[in-house]
Amino acid sequence: MRVLSVGSEIYPLVKTGGLADVLGALPAALAAEGIETRTLVPGYPAVMAALDGADTVLELPDLLGARARVLAAAPGRLPLFVLDAPPFYDRPGNPYTDASGHDWADNGLRFAALAQAAAEIGGGGLGAFQPDIVHAHDWQAGLAPAYLHYADGGQRPRTVMTIHNLAYQGQFPAYLMGFLGLPPESYTMEGVEYYQSVGYLKAGLQFADAITTVSPSYAAELQTEAGGMGLAGLFRRRAAFLHGILNGIDTGIWNPERDSLIAARFDAENLPARRENKAALQRRLGLAPEPETLLFAVVSRLAWQKGLDLLHDVLPVLEEMGAQLAVLGSGEAALEAAYLAAAQAHPRRIACVIGFDEGLAHLMQAGADAVLVPSRFEPCGLTQMIAQRYGAVPVVARVGGLADTVIDANEIALDACAATGVQFAPVAAEMLAIALNRTARLWTDREAWRRMQRNGMKADFSWARPARHYAQLYRSLAQAA
Ligand code: ADP
């Protein structure tokens, strides 16, 4: 079975969020299920620079006005098709925005091009690689199922549309219909039209044979008015085709026994070695070097979604309990400023590093006692799974994938030695404050705490389980064809 996976980020070449982790890790796990995956990604400078010895496998002389070609390569053993279209992708910086943070004005065309190239390959454009399934990820690939739906002749692979984050939907002005190469009749509510615009994600959701998202709880939330973000009706209508498949994490990269980015390696049987990481973290961030002080960490985009304004509201609670807080993140200017100011006011208690720092992220997971994820919504979330693998106790909002991957330390779960973290709901500052206090109480019972750490470290967060689910889905779609 062959799968063409399509998306705009792939770890380690281009990453702005969890989407990249998924596209980077899933192919190898699927290979173990007997599924051959190739991933089509845009030829951003970082991707082109990583290629060494690529073959041109398809010429696309007029891809939405650009001269383009598809290259086949396997940098770092990642089997890729790279869409080399310099007018669209040969730009510095972020995949979606210019240096001042504004969306590139031609994003509609840039990602329609990606989808159209995917449809070319899906439709049989490459004799040597005819996919059974075209798997589109997020809005950037959303038009692929639509192009395949309206393609005449050629092969008809089955299609899967996966939502990693519904907050980004790819909505573009209706005049683009004149350029996209979709038939005019596709511009209806049953097609690509979305609130008088062209909806890229909506198109994918409408035309894909199956829809998946990255946790069962999020799949349920999508069908509610609040969670559906304008698409709840569509999700309810297509509920029979909607599946929640939890993400995994790359357990090769996130492995405390082998991690070269942390101060001391450790495993579930050697938890005291974590203390060295805690000390290294406190030293690096200028926090008071106190091994017994409960140290919370945040590794996150600083965005409304992540609920970090709520955490900021309850900083006095942390101060009262004498805990420490380390924040690593970047994003909204107001949040960055708020945490920098808090760190400046309490340098021995609160530290804040603005930026994206892979190495520090590893040290924080290895050295913090607890990792906070107070998200308002969270399709899956990787940080709380990474935390558990590193023996940090996750303290999370009970939403989406956070609800599905953390077992709350209620009395029953503690008695049964099953707890792995702390959940709170609803997502509000008062409830977060209560969760922080609960966590502090648990911290004083070192035996219970260690058990939670070990439970989390024993859990299987690898890609093996999700890969089995995707393989099952692909096979059932192929059989139904
Ligand atoms: P999202 O995709 O919504 O940003 P996830 O929890 O699914 O959130 O994935 C976030 C990923 O990005 C994790 O691998 C996390 O470690 C990483 N990450 C987030 N912010 C930073 C940062 N400032 N520095 C380093 N890694 C980060």
Side-chain angles (χ1 to χ4, degrees), residues 163-372:
I163 302 148
H164 297 268
N165 193 339
L166 186 62
Y168 305 94
Q169 300 189 354
Q171 201 177 344
F172 295 98
Y175 73 78
L176 266 187
M177 279 307 292
F179 303 91
L180 295 178
L182 286 165
E185 67 267 24
S186 66
Y187 192 71
T188 66
M189 257 173 66
E190 290 71 42
V192 304
E193 189 272 341
Y194 185 53
Y195 295 104
Q196 287 93 52
S197 324
V198 189
Y200 283 25
L201 180 67
K202 189 261 183 169
L205 298 173
Q206 191 73 36
F207 289 112
D209 296 306
I211 301 170
T212 77
T213 190
V214 289
S215 69
S217 287
Y218 194 59
E221 289 166 16
L222 291 177
Q223 297 172 58
T224 65
E225 285 310 311
M229 295 184 168
L231 289 160
L234 191 159
F235 288 121
R236 285 197 292 267
R237 212 165 47 248
R238 299 215 64 203
F241 304 93
L242 172 61
H243 310 262
I245 302 178
L246 270 177
N247 283 337
I249 54 174
D250 190 323
T251 46
I253 292 166
W254 296 105
N255 180 359
E257 291 175 52
R258 301 232 173 115
D259 194 328
S260 58
L261 298 170
I262 62 181
R265 297 171 197 180
F266 61 97
D267 60 24
E269 305 314 315
N270 182 20
L271 281 171
R274 284 190 98 252
R275 297 168 78 95
E276 271 187 62
N277 292 308
K278 183 171 180 176
L281 183 59
Q282 286 169 325
R283 223 176 12 253
R284 173 151 170 197
L285 299 180
L287 294 166
E290 299 168 0
E292 299 306 320
T293 295
L294 174 55
L295 169 56
F296 289 96
V298 169
V299 181
S300 179
R301 288 186 291 120
L302 301 182
W304 182 84
Q305 174 199 341
K306 301 292 180 179
L308 294 168
D309 51 323
L310 306 176
L311 177 62
H312 189 265
D313 288 349
V314 300
L315 287 181
V317 176
L318 279 183
E319 198 183 329
E320 243 166 69
M321 66 174 68
Q324 293 180 335
L325 173 67
V327 176
L328 167 62
S330 63
E332 288 167 18
L335 278 172
E336 290 185 358
Y339 279 102
L340 282 172
Q344 209 163 30
H346 308 276
R348 306 294 276 169
R349 300 272 130 211
I350 301 177
C352 174
V353 176
I354 299 299
F356 196 93
D357 186 333
E358 196 87 34
L360 183 56
H362 281 244
L363 184 61
M364 285 177 70
Q365 295 280 10
D369 300 303
V371 168
L372 287 164

